[in-house]
Amino acid sequence: METEQIAHTIDKAKIPLRRVLGLLTSILLVAGIMIGSGVFKKIAPMAASGLSSNYLIAAWIVAGIITMFGAFMIAGLSDLTTDSGGIYEYLRMMFGDFVSFLFGWTAFTIIGSASVAALSFIFAQSLNGIIPLYDPLAGLSHISIGNFIYPFASSGIKLLAIATVLLLTWVNYRGTKNGASLNTILTWIKVAGILFLIALGLFFSNGTHDTPAQFANSGFSNTGIYTAFFGALLSAFWAYDGWADLSYVTGEIKNPKKNIPIAIISGVSIVMLLYVLVNYAYMRTLNLEELAAVDENNIAASAVAERIIGHSGVVFISILIMFSTLGALNA
């Protein structure tokens, strides 16, 4: 009896979340999470697979369709509850507390924290490419953990990454509406930047040269083509990641049973269209051999923009990636 009274008291004291996110904001939140850095660089390893341009475009389309199936699944599951929690809550309702417990701790210790760390680091790297950052711990950069991890190397970039996470945490702590407003601004900026990049590739490039024979599947067996295609899919899936995260803020979305399905499906559709068009623009500007030759530490989109508008294109892409990763990090 006493336990029931305590539970009743806790339930009465629970502070409800404010439903402040409308449909457009939710759509932009989905797009803002998905568009990070992958769309600007994954074409290089995909081109190195040896597949033809038609196969690469097909990989982006197939990955988008499979992602859309996932969006349909979340759209259906969103009808189960109007509370926040997302995948954690869906797993709890379908399979019980233990499975959701495992997922929750995995998300907290690995999935979520690693994504935040990676995005903040890429943001700081992009800014460093435009304005070189001071490295206050350069004298300690030789210190390593197991000759593998160098915690003080590039300390300026790492300190800025940490500061960015703290700043965005504070912004979102101040209210969901603040974080959503910042996301809306940043998402519009990066969508506009990608559309500009698409326009450059489609209308201002001279088109690529003939694709070299070694990049036209001439040496592939059927099994080899399938293997290479699934490898290309893996790269594309990285760029599509994040579409399910809207469900985590279900409790802050207006009319969630209607708006979550529309927002997730619309957001994935917009991103899929942008990804297919921008990758077509890449391959129209540079041939596959040139894209494959882009060093892993460089960015394919920068090489494309540089080909069309010179060094200013590299600066443009650095700024675009900076805004893109900042937006994804905030989302």
Side-chain angles (χ1 to χ4, degrees), residues 9 30 33 73 117 176 180 226 254 263 269 276 298 330:
T9 302
V30 174
I33 294 170
M73 180 187 67
T176 302
Y226 293 141
K254 300 174 183 177
S269 300
V276 171
N298 294 319
N330 175 69

Side-chain angles (χ1 to χ4, degrees), residues 163-174 330:
T164 303
V165 172
L166 293 175
L167 176 61
L168 292 179
T169 300
W170 177 79
V171 169
N172 285 273
Y173 172 78
R174 298 280 295 174
N330 175 69

Side-chain angles (χ1 to χ4, degrees), residues 247-268:
S247 61
Y248 291 117
V249 291
T250 298
E252 295 163 288
I253 296 175
K254 300 174 183 177
N255 195 6
K257 290 191 176 183
K258 175 184 177 182
N259 286 341
I260 286 182
I262 296 174
I264 291 182
I265 293 170
S266 300
V268 171

Side-chain angles (χ1 to χ4, degrees), residues 62-140:
V62 170
I65 291 172
I66 294 174
T67 299
M68 186 64 75
F69 289 153
F72 292 154
M73 180 187 67
I74 294 296
L77 290 173
S78 66
D79 195 52
L80 292 177
T81 178
T82 58
D83 291 333
S84 287
I87 296 174
Y88 169 88
E89 185 67 8
Y90 301 148
L91 288 175
R92 186 190 66 78
M93 297 178 72
M94 291 186 295
F95 302 111
D97 291 344
F98 180 68
V99 173
S100 61
F101 170 84
L102 292 179
F103 174 80
W105 276 101
T106 302
F108 178 73
T109 58
I110 301 174
I111 301 173
S113 55
S115 298
V116 166
L119 286 168
S120 60
F121 187 79
I122 294 171
F123 163 74
Q125 268 188 325
S126 301
L127 182 59
N128 184 62
I130 303 170
I131 305 172
L133 300 172
Y134 174 62
D135 191 353
L137 303 177
L140 303 175

Side-chain angles (χ1 to χ4, degrees), residues 202-222:
L202 296 183
F203 304 113
F204 296 98
S205 70
N206 295 322
T208 60
H209 308 294
D210 292 336
T211 301
Q214 65 267 34
F215 288 89
N217 316 126
S218 57
F220 277 131
S221 64
N222 288 335

